[in-house]
Amino acid sequence: MAETGDGSRLPSPLDVLTSDVHSRLEFHKYAYIDCVGIKNALDCVIEEKVKLQQEQNAIVQLAAEKDGLTKKNEELVAEIESLKEKLQANESSNLLQGSGFQQSQSGRQAQTRSMQKRKRQSGDENADEHELMEDLSGMDNPDQGLSTEHEGARREISDIHSTLIKGFIDISNTGGRNIAIKYIGQLDDRPFLPACLKKLPHKEAQKKSSELYHFWQEQIMNPEWNPFKTVTVEGITKEIVDVSDDKLQELCAAWDEEVYKAVVNCLTEIHESGKLRDRTIVPELWNFKGKRKATISESVEYICSQVKRLSDTKNRRTRRAR
């Protein structure tokens, strides 16, 4: 029998097994790569789903905040309109009261002249005097009614003032506001640290400025310390801070002039607010631009402008969201 050549040699079982193993390895390799790709795709889908859910929650939250702001805005507008109506009613009442007072004075003068005429016409002077006293005692007292109406107007204005203070307190006092709450009797702490830094290292200056501030706040709140004097200017007598007071002089000599001015200004504000006896810290509507108490009218006007600004901002955001 002839021998078979190398070219026609059949693959051995080992070669077949090796080829089969290689094929299976390649298959599993590509299957693993496909699994990794599928896993990455699933991770991306899950991440995108989480993002979409977060965006949906944010939209729901924004919608709820928008509804809350809209409701709050409507309440503020209604309250402002109510305050405006009360102010207008008080102004009209004051005008009517002034007119009524003049009319009552004219009526009183006319009645007095009539009684004087009647007295001259009568011969019995004692009888007329008795009748005159009865007529005067029976006359209605217009001043009493006017005083009652003024008292009612004062109470109403006081209620409006208290409502405005409460509203401004509820709003956080951020910087840059012209009208805000100022606490009368509370010492301004801003000048103390710079004054201490001029004489002490930073760490010591921080501690000293805090101690100095609290010391002078306690002095201001002490009713027994009364650094005021009475002066007469152009015929008008008034009480002012006595800058020659020993404690104030020591403060001015020991520390910066700005610290001294802060203490003097605080004492002046307490005196002008009528809180010298109890020395309590009270909130007050304050015009920081004008450095004075804010009137009710400008406080209401300021709130109106802020509500309008808030409404315009909300409308712009709504348009952008669409």
Side-chain angles (χ1 to χ4, degrees):
M1 182 179 289
E3 293 181 359
T4 304
D6 292 339
S8 60
R9 185 173 61 85
L10 294 173
S12 65
L14 183 60
D15 291 336
V16 173
L17 181 60
T18 301
S19 176
D20 184 56
V21 171
H22 180 73
S23 298
R24 289 177 182 273
L25 286 174
E26 288 294 319
F27 173 78
H28 285 294
K29 175 183 176 182
Y30 287 114
Y32 174 76
I33 293 173
D34 290 340
C35 286
V36 171
I38 292 171
K39 181 180 180 299
N40 291 337
L42 286 173
D43 289 341
C44 290
V45 170
I46 293 173
E47 185 179 353
E48 189 66 24
K49 181 181 178 182
V50 171
K51 287 182 179 179
L52 288 173
Q53 186 63 43
Q54 290 175 346
E55 291 178 357
Q56 183 66 28
N57 293 338
I59 292 172
V60 173
Q61 184 178 358
L62 286 173
E65 290 177 356
K66 177 185 175 183
D67 293 339
L69 286 173
T70 301
K71 184 178 179 182
K72 185 68 174 178
N73 185 33
E74 291 173 353
E75 292 175 354
L76 285 173
V77 170
E79 187 173 356
I80 289 168
E81 290 299 325
S82 175
L83 289 173
K84 281 185 175 180
E85 290 175 1
K86 287 182 179 181
L87 286 173
Q88 291 173 355
N90 284 333
E91 291 175 356
S92 301
S93 176
N94 289 337
L95 291 174
L96 291 174
Q97 289 168 1
S99 175
F101 178 76
Q102 292 178 352
Q103 291 177 359
S104 64
Q105 289 293 94
S106 300
R108 180 190 292 180
Q109 292 175 358
Q111 286 185 337
T112 302
R113 287 195 298 269
S114 175
M115 286 183 288
Q116 288 175 346
K117 181 178 179 181
R118 187 171 55 192
K119 180 178 178 179
R120 287 193 300 269
Q121 291 174 350
S122 175
D124 191 346
E125 195 170 303
N126 291 332
D128 282 344
E129 183 175 352
H130 179 70
E131 184 181 356
L132 179 62
M133 294 301 295
E134 288 181 349
D135 289 339
L136 287 174
S137 63
M139 288 174 61
D140 291 333
N141 188 354
D143 293 341
Q144 183 177 358
L146 189 61
S147 175
T148 303
E149 291 177 359
H150 274 298
E151 183 62 29
R154 280 195 295 269
R155 282 198 302 269
E156 194 165 3
I157 291 174
S158 177
D159 291 342
I160 295 172
H161 184 258
S162 300
T163 302
L164 284 170
I165 288 178
K166 183 179 182 300
F168 273 91
I169 289 176
D170 291 339
I171 304 171
S172 60
N173 280 351
T174 55
R177 290 187 172 179
N178 292 334
I179 308 294
I181 292 295
K182 178 181 176 66
Y183 289 90
I184 304 299
Q186 183 170 303
L187 185 59
D188 186 2
D189 63 345
R190 291 175 296 179
F192 286 84
L193 181 57
C196 293
L197 285 172
K198 292 179 180 179
K199 297 186 176 184
L200 300 169
H202 189 272
K203 189 174 182 179
E204 295 180 19
Q206 286 184 318
K207 181 180 179 181
K208 184 62 178 179
S209 66
S210 178
E211 293 175 352
L212 192 64
Y213 170 79
H214 286 97
F215 171 80
W216 282 102
Q217 183 67 71
E218 291 176 359
Q219 294 300 310
I220 290 172
M221 292 292 100
N222 182 10
E224 295 181 0
W225 184 42
N226 192 38
F228 294 90
K229 65 180 180 180
T230 302
V231 296
T232 302
V233 180
E234 297 181 354
I236 300 175
T237 301
K238 60 180 182 178
E239 200 172 33
I240 62 172
V241 176
D242 185 5
V243 295
S244 63
D245 178 82
D246 292 340
K247 288 185 179 180
L248 292 177
Q249 286 294 311
E250 291 176 6
L251 173 64
C252 188
W255 297 100
D256 191 272
E257 186 179 359
E258 294 301 317
V259 173
Y260 165 79
K261 287 181 179 179
V263 173
V264 171
N265 289 339
C266 189
L267 288 168
T268 303
E269 291 169 2
I270 291 176
H271 179 267
E272 291 176 351
S273 66
K275 296 295 180 180
L276 276 180
R277 290 186 178 180
D278 52 6
R279 302 286 178 99
T280 55
I281 297 177
V282 294
E284 184 58 76
L285 295 170
W286 197 262
N287 186 323
F288 284 89
K289 186 176 181 180
K291 297 180 180 180
R292 56 173 174 78
K293 287 184 180 181
T295 64
I296 292 179
S297 298
E298 63 187 0
S299 300
V300 172
E301 184 178 350
Y302 180 79
I303 290 180
C304 289
S305 67
Q306 294 301 301
V307 170
K308 183 178 183 302
R309 184 180 63 82
L310 178 62
S311 179
D312 292 343
T313 302
K314 184 191 70 174
N315 291 335
R316 285 196 298 270
R317 290 178 178 173
T318 303
R319 287 195 295 269
R320 283 199 298 267
R322 293 176 182 173

